[in-house]
Amino acid sequence: MNRFKNWAPYLQVTPLALVFLVFLVIPIATIVVVSFFDYNTAQIIPAFLRQNYEELLTSPVTWQTYLQTVEFAAITWLLTFVIGFTIAYFLAFYVRSTTWQTVLFLVCTIPFWTSNVIRMISWIPFLGRNGLANMTLMQLGLIHQPLEFLLYSNFSVVLVYVHLYTLFMVVPIFNSMMRIDRSLLEAALDAGASGWQTLVNVILPLCKPGIAIGSIFVVTIVMGDFVTVRMMSGGLSASVALMMANAMSLLQYPAAAANAVILLIVVLMIVAAMMRVVDIRKEL
Amino acid sequence: MTNGRRGPVFWLLAAFFALFVLFLYGPTITILILSFQGPSGQLTFPMTGFSLHWFANLFEPQMVGDFAGSLRRSLILGLAVMIVTVVFSFSAGLAFRRRFVGSNVIFYLAIASLIVPSILISLGIGLLFRVLEIDPAWYSSAFGAHLTWTLPFGLLIMFAVFNRFDHRYEEAARDLGATPWQTVRHVILPIIAPSLIGVGLFGFTLSYDEYARSLYTAGSFNTLPLEIYGMTTNVTTPVLYALGSVTTGLSFLVIAIALVSFTWIRRRRERHGSDAGKAA
């Protein structure tokens, strides 16, 4: 009985640990190993070469692509943060009945459980040359020719990022806000703070953990994205993951793997910087 | 700010919220309407009529690839991922209630699994299978790839649940002579059942909608998101929207089932009180 008790946690955690070992740790290790392999048009050849990295890091295209991806991530982060924070702030402090709070929160989260690819497609009739946006603007007489930049541009890429990922900001920030002791707000009010001062000096600092968690989600997803970029830019914009996908389709596996390793290092560095703000284990 | 009348700030924020909801749902509603486009209709407005033409079109295999087959594969895969996610996360959640050697490693692996970009997991598993000379398939490699995405969510939900769990229920069960298995079956499980529904919802929908992690792992037969994505490049009729409406409808159905069972359990509990302790 007692022996079983000491072993129980290990038995209970084994299935989960095995999945992570086989489908996370070993695959990432494989990427690292293959990134040093040699290759030709037909196959990959075990070797230990630095060539894949050298070619990658000396190409200006690589640097431009990384810069473009970081730019997408930064713009998306800023927009999702501002919108997400405002939505969470409204839900947490201005919706008074708990039922309404739950209902409105659900309204915000339901799209998360539907298909991202479909949600991207659904922007096409909206943004296209003859889409709803252009038709409306023309009918209002605001423009005389359809705006070309609405679809298949960096604009539509960022728009869809914001559409898909603002939720990742709303949920953790809302969670942080709901934990704020309401008497702190009253104290701020009593001490003569305006609503705006309370927001900036009391609420915002207390939401830091939620903001950090949301930021980690948004930034890592955008840094590793290629579906949205490929679909919404119509092939006009680049991203690191798209570059990898292209190398994969040319069967240049080691080149893709080397790029993957560098992307992973960049993403982990960004996350490490954000983790300094928050202890995730405390947030659960 | 939280007291008194509703000032202009409230209405400003409420308007912003309404716009956000419109932004979230507007496009989906647009394609829902457009999927009823007349037979001669295009990908954009105006509607040339109102018909079920494109829905019928969807089920003619030669027109749009293998919709029925990929839907079936995605449903089976989603259900399998759901079951495994619920069981494995629950089991690991039980383990994490006590300190054990390596608990930190596993916790950080779960976090890593969330933050490592999906495309890298997909690429890694694809390469691994290639190196081992095993053919990737939706029921093996893609199944594993999906689990690396759903299990961290499941585990984190379980952490949140067990952090709020009142351990006195368990102690009471033990004092009454319940075996560890009876405690789990008749005390812990009924109490956390609603959260397990939540974990199941994550498991099914995240798998059912997953694209990047399926890309290099699904092998020769497509799952639904891969099929849909393939269609976007070569289908230029509203059948695409019909497909979108059907899949979104299915997602809504799953969400509704989860919400209804969630509420049902809560209602039943309020009527009968907890059935914990009724174990014979």
Side-chain angles (χ1 to χ4, degrees):
Chain A
M1 184 65 217
N2 238 340
R3 290 247 314 268
F4 170 76
K5 262 186 129 172
N6 291 333
W7 280 102
Y10 296 98
L11 288 177
Q12 286 162 339
V13 89
T14 301
L16 180 100
L18 277 179
V19 171
F20 286 146
L21 181 70
V22 176
F23 293 104
L24 177 72
V25 178
I26 297 178
I28 298 291
T30 310
I31 293 181
V32 176
V33 172
V34 170
S35 71
F36 293 103
F37 279 14
D38 197 1
Y39 63 95
N40 57 34
T41 47
Q43 56 180 339
I44 51 177
I45 305 145
F48 188 77
L49 301 173
R50 279 177 302 170
Q51 196 191 341
N52 297 315
Y53 288 98
E54 277 165 12
E55 276 172 12
L56 197 66
L57 293 174
T58 51
S59 155
V61 177
T62 311
W63 293 89
Q64 281 160 17
T65 312
Y66 269 85
L67 205 66
Q68 167 85 79
T69 307
V70 170
E71 199 183 309
F72 275 141
I75 298 172
T76 308
W77 174 80
L78 186 68
L79 289 171
T80 52
F81 166 62
V82 172
I83 298 171
F85 189 89
T86 314
I87 296 298
Y89 178 65
F90 173 71
L91 285 178
F93 296 113
Y94 282 86
V95 179
R96 270 170 265 162
S97 99
T98 325
T99 314
W100 271 107
Q101 222 167 29
T102 315
V103 169
L104 294 180
F105 183 75
L106 268 178
V107 165
C108 290
T109 43
I110 280 173
F112 169 74
W113 286 305
T114 65
S115 164
N116 280 359
V117 176
I118 298 290
R119 290 173 70 197
M120 286 176 215
I121 294 171
S122 54
W123 278 103
I124 294 172
F126 215 84
L127 298 175
R129 211 168 177 281
N130 301 312
L132 274 183
N134 272 326
M135 301 245 280
T136 314
L137 288 173
M138 298 231 287
Q139 266 168 10
L140 290 173
L142 292 173
I143 52 171
H144 300 290
Q145 281 169 345
L147 298 172
E148 298 284 351
F149 73 87
L150 289 180
L151 189 59
Y152 303 133
S153 61
N154 287 352
F155 170 80
S156 51
V157 173
V158 172
L159 182 83
V160 167
Y161 280 146
V162 173
H163 182 227
L164 294 179
Y165 304 131
T166 300
L167 175 82
F168 284 102
M169 283 286 192
V170 174
V171 174
I173 296 178
F174 177 72
N175 186 33
S176 284
M177 284 178 175
M178 293 305 281
R179 289 167 172 215
I180 296 177
D181 186 347
R182 300 297 147 129
S183 53
L184 287 176
L185 305 183
E186 276 172 40
L189 209 65
D190 291 346
S194 67
W196 177 254
Q197 281 174 318
T198 314
L199 176 65
V200 173
N201 297 318
V202 181
I203 298 176
L204 195 62
L206 288 172
C207 288
K208 257 190 201 161
I211 296 169
I213 293 177
S215 307
I216 289 171
F217 266 111
V218 170
V219 170
T220 55
I221 290 176
V222 174
M223 287 297 296
D225 171 79
F226 76 103
V227 190
T228 310
V229 171
R230 192 158 72 181
M231 190 135 137
M232 297 316 292
S233 81
L236 298 174
S237 303
S239 83
V240 177
L242 189 56
M243 198 173 150
M244 271 167 48
N246 290 340
M248 285 291 281
S249 59
L250 295 170
L251 304 182
Q252 300 170 342
Y253 298 116
N259 206 347
V261 171
I262 294 174
L263 176 64
L264 185 61
I265 293 170
V266 171
V267 168
L268 289 181
M269 271 164 38
I270 296 175
V271 171
M274 291 178 178
M275 287 273 217
R276 295 174 71 100
V277 184
V278 54
D279 179 354
I280 289 189
R281 261 193 120 142
K282 274 200 202 139
E283 292 308 310
L284 298 164
Chain B
M1 48 181 298
T2 48
N3 56 330
R5 281 155 282 115
R6 291 182 162 165
V9 180
F10 171 85
W11 294 111
L12 211 67
L13 286 170
F16 185 79
F17 185 85
L19 274 178
F20 179 69
V21 171
L22 188 68
F23 172 67
L24 274 187
Y25 289 87
T28 312
I29 295 168
T30 315
I31 67 157
L32 178 68
I33 297 170
L34 281 172
S35 58
F36 292 100
Q37 181 76 285
S40 61
Q42 296 295 305
L43 279 171
T44 50
F45 287 101
M47 300 282 285
T48 58
F50 186 87
S51 75
L52 292 173
H53 177 82
W54 303 108
F55 287 95
N57 206 324
L58 196 57
F59 289 94
E60 295 161 17
Q62 71 282 7
M63 291 299 291
V64 291
D66 188 15
F67 166 68
S70 58
L71 175 66
R72 188 176 48 86
R73 283 187 284 274
S74 271
L75 287 175
I76 297 172
L77 183 58
L79 282 174
V81 170
M82 176 181 87
I83 293 166
V84 171
T85 305
V86 170
V87 175
F88 285 15
S89 330
F90 173 62
S91 166
L94 287 176
F96 269 94
R97 295 188 304 164
R98 288 199 273 152
R99 284 264 151 202
F100 59 91
V101 182
S103 62
N104 265 328
V105 175
I106 293 181
F107 174 75
Y108 282 110
L109 275 181
I111 299 296
S113 201
L114 277 182
I115 62 177
V116 171
S118 299
I119 179 85
L120 295 193
I121 308 251
S122 198
L123 177 71
I125 296 175
L127 283 177
L128 176 65
F129 274 60
R130 169 166 285 271
V131 170
L132 297 177
E133 291 178 349
I134 308 170
D135 286 328
W138 60 273
Y139 48 81
S140 58
S141 41
F143 178 58
H146 287 193
L147 285 177
T148 60
W149 183 226
T150 58
L151 281 176
F153 280 103
L155 186 66
L156 294 182
I157 294 174
M158 280 298 120
F159 278 3
V161 169
F162 281 124
N163 279 349
R164 290 163 181 74
F165 190 84
D166 189 340
H167 293 279
R168 283 173 300 185
Y169 289 121
E170 262 175 287
E171 282 158 25
R174 229 186 358 257
D175 290 348
L176 290 168
T179 64
W181 170 247
Q182 282 175 321
T183 313
V184 169
R185 167 70 187 79
H186 296 289
V187 179
I188 299 178
L189 268 181
I191 293 176
I192 68 165
S195 311
L196 290 181
I197 293 174
V199 174
L201 179 63
F202 270 89
F204 181 84
T205 57
L206 292 186
S207 161
Y208 177 73
D209 298 329
E210 183 58 41
Y211 177 83
R213 280 173 205 247
S214 311
L215 186 60
Y216 300 122
T217 59
S220 29
F221 293 102
N222 277 348
T223 59
L224 189 59
L226 295 175
E227 192 72 28
I228 295 172
Y229 189 84
M231 281 176 60
T232 59
T233 51
N234 52 35
V235 174
T236 49
T237 59
V239 74
L240 193 59
Y241 300 149
L243 181 53
S245 299
V246 170
T247 35
T248 309
L250 270 171
S251 294
F252 272 93
L253 186 70
V254 172
I255 298 166
I257 291 172
L259 288 179
V260 166
S261 25
F262 191 86
T263 329
W264 182 71
I265 290 182
R266 271 207 353 213
R267 288 263 165 79
R268 209 178 68 133
R269 198 167 283 172
E270 275 161 21
R271 270 207 312 275
H272 298 295
S274 170
D275 59 357
K278 286 189 184 157

